[in-house]
Amino acid sequence: MTVPSQPFADTPFPVTCNTFLGDRLQILQPATGYRAGVDAVLLASAVLVRPDSASKILDCGAGVGTVGLCIAARCPTASVTLVEREEDLVELARRNVSANHLQDRVCVVPGDITVAASNVAAPRLAAESFDCVVANPPFHDDAGGTHATDPLKRVSRAMRTNALQDWVRFAARLAKPSACFTVIHKSEALPGLIEAMRDRFGALAITPVHAFAGKPAIRVLVSGVKGSRAPLSLLPSIVLHEPGGAFTPYVSRILRQGAPLISSN
């Protein structure tokens, strides 16, 4: 559900309030530009935390915090750190954490993950301190196409050429040995993801995501284990929609009930 866009205190742009995981989360986000939706919830569903495990999760380039907050809502023993560069999004993320009463397990850290690691040092970003790292990077190359006139919209939708290497490098630095890194991206980015993760993460598991059965994949979920030398595996695909356009029952359970991603639907 979406509440109509409205000005928000101390924010120079309209925002909407959207519900996620049924009505378990309410998320404020910019009314235009990149908006979190299905991709964010699918990525969050890929994180599995044992009920007896106090896992530390890192959400890279967290935006308004949708992925990390979905993880915290799904996994009550997990603690989540959200890292975001843009000041306006950092402020919205903090308000989202507070509005959803998750301050005890979710924190927001300002930082640019595409710069040298020494420049994003912070007490909550110690090297090799996270059990799981997730990322939903901008999908478009800043060097190509028509640039958005809105600066926030531009940085949310596009990043500079080869910046994906920086995202993976940052994840590898912060992940514990044998920790998992999971990223969602457009399907044509798969070769670049595999190359960026090579020598850092092994046991790559690739899950294609299709809008409809029989159509080409539009997204890929890629997970890897830090330091592993196990081979790559291609997992069963996820199909988002029934022929009539409704979400498949499997995807509906993920989106509305917070069900975990499994290897087959």
Side-chain angles (χ1 to χ4, degrees), residues 3-261:
V3 175
S5 63
Q6 54 190 308
F8 191 65
D10 304 321
T11 302
F13 47 79
V15 300
T16 61
C17 181
N18 302 90
T19 57
F20 287 80
L21 305 184
D23 59 358
R24 291 166 64 183
L25 289 174
Q26 292 190 344
I27 303 292
L28 291 167
Q29 57 180 329
T32 61
Y34 173 77
R35 291 170 52 75
V38 174
D39 290 352
V41 184
L42 284 180
L43 178 59
S45 75
V47 175
L48 303 178
V49 175
R50 298 194 312 270
D52 60 345
S53 172
S55 296
K56 294 180 62 179
I57 314 296
L58 177 65
D59 181 2
C60 300
V64 299
T66 308
V67 175
L69 288 168
C70 283
I71 293 170
R74 289 184 52 255
C75 307
T77 62
S79 62
V80 181
T81 298
L82 312 174
V83 179
E84 173 53 44
R85 177 182 64 183
E86 301 302 318
E87 293 181 5
D88 290 328
L89 300 184
V90 167
E91 178 61 21
L92 281 181
R94 286 175 171 155
R95 296 183 188 224
N96 286 332
V97 171
S98 178
N100 289 286
H101 309 291
L102 289 167
Q103 305 95 312
D104 59 332
R105 293 190 294 115
V106 183
C107 69
V108 184
V109 178
D112 186 349
I113 67 175
T114 66
V115 302
S118 59
N119 293 336
V120 290
R124 293 182 179 271
L125 296 179
E128 298 194 333
S129 61
F130 290 91
D131 301 288
C132 179
V133 182
V134 296
N136 182 10
F139 284 175
H140 304 291
D141 190 335
D142 194 43
T146 302
H147 293 157
T149 55
D150 185 320
L152 184 59
K153 182 176 180 179
R154 176 173 175 176
V155 299
S156 298
R157 293 175 59 86
M159 60 183 178
R160 62 175 175 79
T161 304
N162 299 324
L164 194 56
Q165 287 277 354
D166 298 329
W167 286 64
V168 176
R169 187 181 299 112
F170 182 84
R173 177 179 177 271
L174 274 292
K176 293 179 180 178
S178 300
C180 183
F181 172 51
T182 304
V183 58
I184 190 167
H185 215 300
K186 58 184 181 180
S187 56
E188 52 264 43
L190 182 57
L193 278 171
I194 293 174
E195 176 60 26
M197 295 173 75
R198 186 168 61 88
D199 299 329
R200 297 186 178 102
F201 297 94
L204 298 187
I206 300 169
T207 303
V209 180
H210 304 256
F212 294 93
K215 298 295 184 180
I218 57 171
R219 300 283 187 270
V220 286
L221 275 162
V222 183
S223 295
V225 177
K226 182 176 176 178
S228 175
R229 294 294 178 263
L232 179 151
S233 59
L234 185 62
L235 302 181
S237 298
I238 296 172
V239 177
L240 297 179
H241 299 286
E242 301 278 11
F247 286 113
T248 62
Y250 170 72
V251 170
S252 184
R253 289 192 296 272
I254 291 174
L255 298 180
R256 298 190 173 94
Q257 301 173 28
L261 184 75

